[in-house]
Amino acid sequence: MYFQEQKSGPMLTEIWVPLFIMLISISPSIFALLVVPPQSFPSIQSLSGRAAENSSLLQCLQVAPPTLSPGQDCQQTLMVHTFAFSYGQPFVGTYYPPACDFNRVVFNFTVTSAGRQFDRLALMYFDDVEIFRTSTAEPTRTGIIWRYAKDMSAYLALFRKPQKIVFDLGNLVDDTYTGKWNTTLTATFFNADNAIEPADVIIPISAQRSAANQSSAFIVPQSKAIDNLKLPQNAHKAVFTISACGQAEEEFWWSNVLSSGTGAFGNETTLYGHSPFRELQLFIDGHMAGVAWPFPVIFTGGIVPGFWRPIVGIDAFDLREDEIDISPFLPLLCDDKPHTFEIRVIGIDDDGRGNGKFTEGIGSNWVVTGKVFVWVDQGLNITTGTAIVTHAPEPSLQLYSTTRKGANGSVDTLDYSIQVSREISIDSIIYTSTGPKELFWRQNLTFSNAGSLRNQGNDQIMHQTTLGTARSSSGYDRSFEYPLWVISSYNAPSGGNLTIEAEMGRGKYAQQLGDLAFPNDWKTLDRLHAMANSSFLGSNTNNWQNGTASYLSVPAQKKSYGSGSTEQLFALSGTVKQQDTTVGAGAADQRTEELYRRHIIAANDSVVYDDESYGAQKVGRNRLLFPSQSTREDGVHEFAGSGVRAFLGRGPY
Ligand SMILES: *[C@@H]1O[C@H](CO)[C@@H](O)[C@H](O)[C@H]1NC(C)=O
Ligand SMILES: *[C@@H]1O[C@H](CO)[C@@H](O)[C@H](O)[C@H]1NC(C)=O
Ligand SMILES: *[C@@H]1O[C@H](CO)[C@@H](O)[C@H](O)[C@H]1NC(C)=O
Ligand SMILES: *[C@@H]1O[C@H](CO)[C@@H](O)[C@H](O)[C@H]1NC(C)=O
Ligand SMILES: *[C@@H]1O[C@H](CO)[C@@H](O)[C@H](O)[C@H]1NC(C)=O
Ligand SMILES: *[C@@H]1O[C@H](CO)[C@@H](O)[C@H](O)[C@H]1NC(C)=O
Ligand SMILES: *[C@@H]1O[C@H](CO)[C@@H](O)[C@H](O)[C@H]1NC(C)=O
Ligand SMILES: *[C@@H]1O[C@H](CO)[C@@H](O)[C@H](O)[C@H]1NC(C)=O
Ligand SMILES: *[C@@H]1O[C@H](CO)[C@@H](O)[C@H](O)[C@H]1NC(C)=O
Ligand SMILES: *[C@@H]1O[C@H](CO)[C@@H](O)[C@H](O)[C@H]1NC(C)=O
Ligand SMILES: *[C@@H]1O[C@H](CO)[C@@H](O)[C@H](O)[C@H]1NC(C)=O
Ligand SMILES: *[C@@H]1O[C@H](CO)[C@@H](O)[C@H](O)[C@H]1NC(C)=O
């Protein structure tokens, strides 16, 4: 968030009420999310019960459905490594396929750390192909531990051959920042009856630096994310996936203002611009092939660290990739010639009068890689086809930014809003050994963000919604909604103390039929426990987090304190076709069956409520816990000289 060292201003409560009214008028649906609990929430004060698992290390977690991983008969340790002073020095190892037979692979990543440290980003590669992107929880003086399990079966083609492992987790250690990361990564191999159809070939769009033992990410906009590659000529399906997240100036892209408003509070206040809208665009030989509107990942130092311990933000341990079905491009791509793939990260610059245009000139930086997953034909027939028809009209844009002045003539408030919508469709016919097929890829997307800054930019309230649908001729059909609201207030009175108060709510809701490169979530769920034998058409995921947190830094004591409470509700259900319908595949013929649910609340570093179930079955772990009694000392944040973004973020990449 942006905050600026300033004299004391109005407290959070003073600005709260009128701004809430603004929220209501802008988005009734978001208001509904704010006031209507997903289900009844117990009050924290009333909780009592058994104590948590007794370990000296605080257990951090990302709420996620448990991954199927039966037995440990065929397991390999891929990495045991401590990342200390590790910028530019990734772990480098070698992977050899195990002797056992397998059609599934699950990673199990364990990390411990103690001391003081920022959150850090990590990218793992097999050769030049990024296969896993994660970030770290922030440690405490006495230490933390987390485990994350991830189904890796989409990469089966890579696991069948030896690979160079490059695991890049850049970290700095000095007198102040003492936390090192002790990591262990294991892979479990097994066979499962399943509907996963992994790609035959996986081709990276990356900086290709594994030969030099380096990370292969493109850092955009400093470098262009562009690569040339050749596809097998008998491809019948191709999917592009994008792995990308904002760092440094772009870490909180969703809280940026319009470019015309960055100077609203004068030179003393740094506001980041290019709007809070970001689009990831894929171009194949210069033709628009599809876009991704990114999920706003918030890392564990984000806004106020007290939100994210021990429950980290949605996707923080597993930054998931967006997918684009590029099969309609196969008539172009199967000609045995190299083709150019480019990923552009786009923001918007405006003139302050409601006119804006897309720009690649965003802040520094985004960490970007891509991949093409290819499925080849049984036969060796060369795939041919018709011309590719792309329909990607200019997006529609609505921008608004204005300042209000106080009695003394200085700017009191900056209000801004932005709405973007666009449609893309791409069509072609391909000819393979099985005959002609009509292929398409279609996307409909809308984005809205409105915000207000006061008190020299120290107080901000924003809310955002990203909504979209994507459909492909393969049967893939995904609709999603990513709501996000944040209210934050920064205060740095003379004397050196610093406080931040914030509230937030965010969600990741997705309904998906079929799948593209990555298996649909129901396929990787631990179904042995879920007792779900049925084959589903798809799944629905509802993932919601909200919380309150505050932070106090007292340089005179060389200490900082944090508190906070965060609540999360996660539910995964499978989509089944109604038994008694005979025609159509419309939503009316479908119903959902709950497979997994978890409702969890953390307060001041402890999980105080945890209710987990598989379908109708309660999990033994279901429990009520004691809230922590102590005010916690926050290990990380000492008085930094630079802006609060650097202070709360991870510093320069
Ligand atoms: C937890 O461990 C500490 C130190 O080993 C011990 O003193 C305490 O009794 C344990 N608490 C519980 C509830 O087991
Ligand atoms: C991951 O490893 C830990 C520690 O070895 C183990 O307890 C856990 O069961 C493993 N999880 C999976 C999904 O394999
Ligand atoms: C990390 O590993 C080192 C060396 O094995 C060990 O001394 C240290 O206690 C470990 N830290 C944590 C937090 O587990
Ligand atoms: C890459 O790392 C491996 C393993 O540490 C080492 O043997 C090799 O010499 C390194 N290559 C380069 C180019 O640094
Ligand atoms: C802001 O900075 C610009 C360029 O450095 C300078 O010309 C201008 O006078 C400054 N304005 C204020 C209000 O300090
Ligand atoms: C104008 O008033 C606001 C409070 O309304 C105050 O924060 C600001 O410092 C004042 N500016 C000047 C130049 O006096
Ligand atoms: C596939 O190739 C074979 C051999 O060249 C040819 O006989 C056959 O017609 C081709 N099939 C299609 C659908 O083009
Ligand atoms: C996109 O919206 C248009 C109308 O605006 C509609 O005709 C089309 O079916 C939508 N496509 C998808 C994939 O939802
Ligand atoms: C800073 O905060 C501490 C703890 O609340 C308080 O004791 C101290 O007086 C504050 N210092 C200043 C200069 O306000
Ligand atoms: C699921 O399949 C197993 C083995 O085929 C069977 O024993 C079990 O009863 C089935 N469960 C349900 C809920 O159908
Ligand atoms: C989350 O939101 C619900 C519904 O508004 C509210 O009852 C609950 O107290 C919030 N939880 C936290 C931790 O702020
Ligand atoms: C968390 O700590 C803060 C600050 O000490 C305190 O005000 C709050 O009541 C605590 N919350 C819970 C649930 O213990």
Side-chain angles (χ1 to χ4, degrees), residues 289-308:
V291 298
W293 287 12
F295 174 73
V297 173
I298 302 177
F299 298 101
T300 58
I303 314 169
V304 182
F307 283 129
W308 318 117

Side-chain angles (χ1 to χ4, degrees), residues 30-109:
I30 290 295
F31 179 63
L33 286 172
L34 286 171
V35 296
V36 181
Q39 65 172 50
S40 60
F41 293 87
S43 100
I44 289 169
Q45 284 75 14
S46 72
L47 291 172
S48 63
R50 291 180 292 125
E53 291 166 49
N54 197 2
S55 156
S56 61
L57 296 176
L58 173 68
Q59 232 172 57
C60 297
L61 72 146
Q62 178 186 314
V63 173
T67 301
L68 180 65
S69 180
Q72 299 182 348
D73 303 344
C74 185
Q75 212 169 52
Q76 270 191 30
T77 301
L78 302 184
M79 171 173 78
V80 177
H81 188 70
T82 298
F83 292 90
F85 202 101
S86 54
Y87 271 104
Q89 293 184 315
F91 165 83
V92 177
T94 310
Y95 163 78
Y96 295 104
C100 61
D101 186 38
F102 63 97
N103 66 7
R104 296 280 287 266
V105 185
V106 169
F107 270 1
N108 193 351
F109 186 46

Side-chain angles (χ1 to χ4, degrees), residues 127-128 166 206-219:
D127 291 345
D128 295 329
V166 178
S206 76
Q208 303 195 12
R209 284 194 287 257
S210 71
N213 291 347
Q214 291 297 314
S215 165
S216 293
F218 295 111
I219 306 301

Side-chain angles (χ1 to χ4, degrees), residues 7-9 406-412 455-456:
K7 298 176 287 306
S8 61
N408 62 12
S410 71
V411 170
D412 183 55
N455 186 22
Q456 298 298 303

Side-chain angles (χ1 to χ4, degrees), residues 277 279-280 290-294 395-396 420-424 442-447 466-470 480 482:
F277 173 77
E279 177 174 83
L280 309 167
V291 298
W293 287 12
S396 112
V420 188
S421 62
R422 87 176 305 164
E423 266 181 61
I424 292 172
R442 302 196 206 299
Q443 291 181 277
N444 275 8
L445 297 148
T446 59
F447 172 89
T466 314
L467 261 174
T469 60
F480 67 88
Y482 307 149

Side-chain angles (χ1 to χ4, degrees), residues 396-543:
S396 112
L397 272 184
Q398 278 174 285
L399 306 169
Y400 171 81
S401 183
T402 191
T403 53
R404 280 183 273 148
K405 293 193 168 140
N408 62 12
S410 71
V411 170
D412 183 55
T413 308
L414 169 66
D415 293 316
Y416 60 92
S417 71
I418 174 168
Q419 277 144 45
V420 188
S421 62
R422 87 176 305 164
E423 266 181 61
I424 292 172
S425 74
I426 293 156
D427 288 85
S428 75
I429 296 172
I430 65 165
Y431 302 100
T432 65
S433 60
T434 57
K437 256 194 285 186
E438 277 184 45
L439 299 185
F440 67 81
W441 172 248
R442 302 196 206 299
Q443 291 181 277
N444 275 8
L445 297 148
T446 59
F447 172 89
S448 72
N449 180 304
S452 183
L453 284 147
R454 291 191 57 178
N455 186 22
Q456 298 298 303
N458 290 332
D459 299 340
Q460 186 177 25
I461 174 167
M462 61 73 59
H463 73 95
Q464 166 174 307
T465 307
T466 314
L467 261 174
T469 60
R471 212 171 281 163
S472 105
S473 40
S474 72
Y476 171 85
D477 187 337
R478 180 172 195 261
S479 40
F480 67 88
E481 180 171 4
Y482 307 149
L484 167 68
W485 60 267
V486 176
I487 300 166
S488 59
S489 180
Y490 169 86
N491 197 3
S494 59
N497 281 5
L498 165 78
T499 63
I500 307 171
E501 310 274 344
E503 289 184 56
M504 63 86 201
R506 59 200 297 239
K508 188 174 188 185
Y509 301 107
Q511 302 178 359
Q512 183 179 319
L513 299 178
D515 40 27
L516 292 176
F518 302 109
N520 196 303
D521 286 344
W522 73 265
K523 296 183 181 176
T524 58
L525 178 73
D526 181 356
R527 278 171 299 139
L528 296 178
H529 288 104
M531 300 283 279
N533 290 0
S534 29
S535 196
F536 296 99
L537 300 172
S539 60
N540 292 359
T541 302
N542 291 327
N543 200 355

